[in-house]
Amino acid sequence: AGNTFGGGSFINWACSLRLPHDVREEWARKFKLPYFVSKQFTESIEAVCQRNGVTEKGIVHNVPNQILMDSAKKLGYPHAVLPQNVGQNDHKCGFCSMGCPHGEKQGTHVTWLKDAADHGAHFIHQCKVDKVTHKNGQATGVVATTNSGVKVIVQARTVVASAGSLNTPLLLTRSGLKNWHIGRNLRLHPVLTVQAYFPDREVKPYYGPIMTAISTVVESRSGTGYGAKLEVPTLHPGLFGVFTPFRNALDYKRTLLQYNHRAMFIVLTRDEDSVSRVYEDAEGLLRVEFSLGGNDRKSLEEGAVASVKMFLAAGAREVDAHIFGLEVLRLDDKDLEECGGDAVNCKKAQEYYRRIREVGVIGQRTKLGSAHQMGTARMGVTPSAGAVDPEGQTWEVKGLYVADASLFPTASGVNPMITTLSMSHSVAQFIKRNLAKAGSKL
């Protein structure tokens, strides 16, 4: 989550995927929200993509992303270039996961928030909203506190909560809202990493454009639309050190010293049956509960198998699926000679695929990651179906809207930035229409 001006779009990896149409249809059909297959929602998506400079033109892959593209092609796996929100810029900033130092990535801090500033909006930085105030079911404003302890009171009959899927539900709860869905239905896109060693190839996983390639070979593992995407993470030394398993000191040091010759894929799972929620404890601290579901575990395992095959097809001599209790797969010249150079189908590799499924991904033991939080104030057609109505307005307080990834009825199944902005753009249109009906001059 991006705890900075511009939110997640300030520190994300520039990946700009639209919400898949089958997910739009699922939200329309299963959750009775026809807006998501409407012309108006499509127009919001296109407006966002245009303003945020989403493009596939001019993208040049760094070595890890090229490995994904080449190996997927070799194995016959579906693969594609990932659109990025870089406009016409020649964007090769390998470290902009910590903020693009050149301002080339078109996050909200240089687009929508700049537009707001240009039209007279004011911002209060380093300030926590304590609660939304309301009276007789109507929003009346917010009470906030700056980091220096100054109380801020804003009076307004229209309030928009955009604190993200971890903090928006906490704000709603602190404001006295009681809807059962608030804080529940948390979706996280659980991620497993898979790493490979190329002794004869310089990889430099921290260099060049980040996250520019994708494979969807296991995106619908059982034909239900739930599975995993295979992508390439940005890999500065901190992330590399965190995700590299520690088996013993010597092995860990050896791996770190091979940094320039190592690549990593992520298995990004569209969570189907994991159970998660976010809440504020008695001390006011944010807490997340997460229990990995059986179907999601299988998606992670099959994504790991596909990732290992892709790395072997690309010429890796060592692959680590990062599963607790699972050894590293190492191939030597003799192993390759025995299988005629076909590393993907050699005996050791076949045994490793079996071991991935046998050992399995155990949520409390295997190191999983998450960069996407969604769904904790989901949209619904009734208060029993969601925390907000189909226009993003809370059921309990008129004039209080939500406009962030909390609205998602399910996990998006793709990196959610464009979907989050598109839904927020849609909520903005609903607000303008409702204000016009009420006679507002805005």
Side-chain angles (χ1 to χ4, degrees), residues 217-289:
V217 65
V218 291
E219 72 171 353
S220 185
R221 184 181 54 80
S222 56
T224 61
Y226 287 85
K229 305 285 195 304
L230 308 182
E231 299 174 346
V232 179
T234 179
L235 207 61
H236 62 71
L239 281 176
F240 182 69
V242 166
F243 281 111
T244 295
F246 185 93
R247 295 182 172 89
N248 59 68
L250 180 61
D251 178 77
Y252 189 73
K253 181 177 181 180
R254 180 186 68 88
T255 301
L256 295 186
L257 288 172
Q258 296 169 347
Y259 181 34
N260 278 334
H261 291 266
R262 287 186 170 265
M264 196 176 288
F265 292 164
I266 61 171
V267 181
L268 190 151
T269 304
R270 185 185 181 208
D271 23 350
E272 178 182 11
D273 60 346
S274 296
V275 178
S276 310
R277 72 177 182 119
V278 61
Y279 64 97
E280 195 169 81
D281 68 13
E283 297 179 352
L285 298 176
L286 186 154
R287 300 291 184 185
V288 172
E289 289 182 354

Side-chain angles (χ1 to χ4, degrees), residues 302-343:
E302 293 309 311
V305 169
S307 297
V308 172
K309 289 181 177 180
M310 291 167 70
F311 275 135
L312 293 177
R317 285 298 190 98
E318 181 180 307
V319 186
D320 188 351
H322 292 183
I323 293 174
F324 184 85
L326 181 69
E327 63 280 1
V328 177
L329 171 64
R330 293 186 174 95
L331 300 180
D332 55 27
D333 291 340
K334 183 179 179 181
D335 296 321
L336 295 176
E337 288 175 6
E338 289 178 352
C339 61
D342 184 3

Side-chain angles (χ1 to χ4, degrees), residues 115-423:
D115 294 344
D118 290 343
H119 287 80
H122 295 270
F123 305 94
I124 304 176
H125 197 37
Q126 296 184 338
C127 181
K128 177 182 178 181
V129 177
D130 301 312
K131 64 179 180 179
V132 177
T133 57
H134 48 90
K135 184 176 181 180
N136 299 325
Q138 171 65 53
T140 57
V142 300
V143 176
T145 307
T146 68
N147 286 3
S148 59
V150 176
K151 278 289 182 185
V152 178
I153 297 175
V154 179
Q155 296 180 341
R157 290 177 61 82
T158 300
V159 176
V160 181
S162 294
S165 293
L166 297 183
N167 284 295
T168 285
L170 273 59
L171 172 60
L172 297 180
T173 300
R174 289 198 303 270
S175 304
L177 278 70
K178 305 292 185 182
N179 186 280
W180 183 87
H181 289 279
I182 296 173
R184 290 182 168 85
N185 312 306
L186 175 62
R187 296 293 176 258
L188 293 168
H189 281 168
V191 164
L192 176 72
T193 55
V194 179
Q195 184 180 155
Y197 175 49
F198 296 84
D200 301 321
R201 185 174 187 180
E202 191 171 55
V203 176
K204 291 186 177 179
Y206 49 84
Y207 178 79
I210 57 178
M211 192 166 275
T212 58
I214 186 172
S215 175
T216 57
V217 65
V218 291
E219 72 171 353
S220 185
R221 184 181 54 80
S222 56
T224 61
Y226 287 85
K229 305 285 195 304
L230 308 182
E231 299 174 346
V232 179
T234 179
L235 207 61
H236 62 71
L239 281 176
F240 182 69
V242 166
F243 281 111
T244 295
F246 185 93
R247 295 182 172 89
N248 59 68
L250 180 61
D251 178 77
Y252 189 73
K253 181 177 181 180
R254 180 186 68 88
T255 301
L256 295 186
L257 288 172
Q258 296 169 347
Y259 181 34
N260 278 334
H261 291 266
R262 287 186 170 265
M264 196 176 288
F265 292 164
I266 61 171
V267 181
L268 190 151
T269 304
R270 185 185 181 208
D271 23 350
E272 178 182 11
D273 60 346
S274 296
V275 178
S276 310
R277 72 177 182 119
V278 61
Y279 64 97
E280 195 169 81
D281 68 13
E283 297 179 352
L285 298 176
L286 186 154
R287 300 291 184 185
V288 172
E289 289 182 354
F290 172 74
S291 178
L292 183 67
N295 291 339
D296 298 337
R297 176 173 59 84
K298 289 294 183 184
S299 294
L300 289 165
E301 291 164 5
E302 293 309 311
V305 169
S307 297
V308 172
K309 289 181 177 180
M310 291 167 70
F311 275 135
L312 293 177
R317 285 298 190 98
E318 181 180 307
V319 186
D320 188 351
H322 292 183
I323 293 174
F324 184 85
L326 181 69
E327 63 280 1
V328 177
L329 171 64
R330 293 186 174 95
L331 300 180
D332 55 27
D333 291 340
K334 183 179 179 181
D335 296 321
L336 295 176
E337 288 175 6
E338 289 178 352
C339 61
D342 184 3
V344 175
N345 294 302
C346 74
K347 186 177 180 181
K348 265 191 179 180
Q350 294 293 328
E351 174 62 14
Y352 197 69
Y353 310 147
R354 187 192 68 79
R355 286 281 293 157
I356 288 174
R357 298 177 176 115
E358 176 184 70
V359 175
V361 174
I362 307 300
Q364 290 76 20
R365 302 175 76 182
T366 297
K367 188 183 296 183
L368 301 177
S370 170
H372 307 153
Q373 302 86 38
M374 304 156 280
T376 51
R378 69 157 53 155
M379 213 176 249
V381 292
T382 64
S384 62
V388 303
D389 70 17
E391 295 185 349
Q393 187 170 214
T394 62
W395 293 105
E396 298 162 83
V397 178
K398 186 178 180 181
L400 173 54
Y401 293 82
V402 172
D404 58 28
S406 304
L407 296 173
F408 290 21
T410 71
S412 58
V414 295
N415 307 60
M417 179 181 69
I418 296 301
T419 305
T420 303
L421 293 175
S422 300
M423 293 181 75

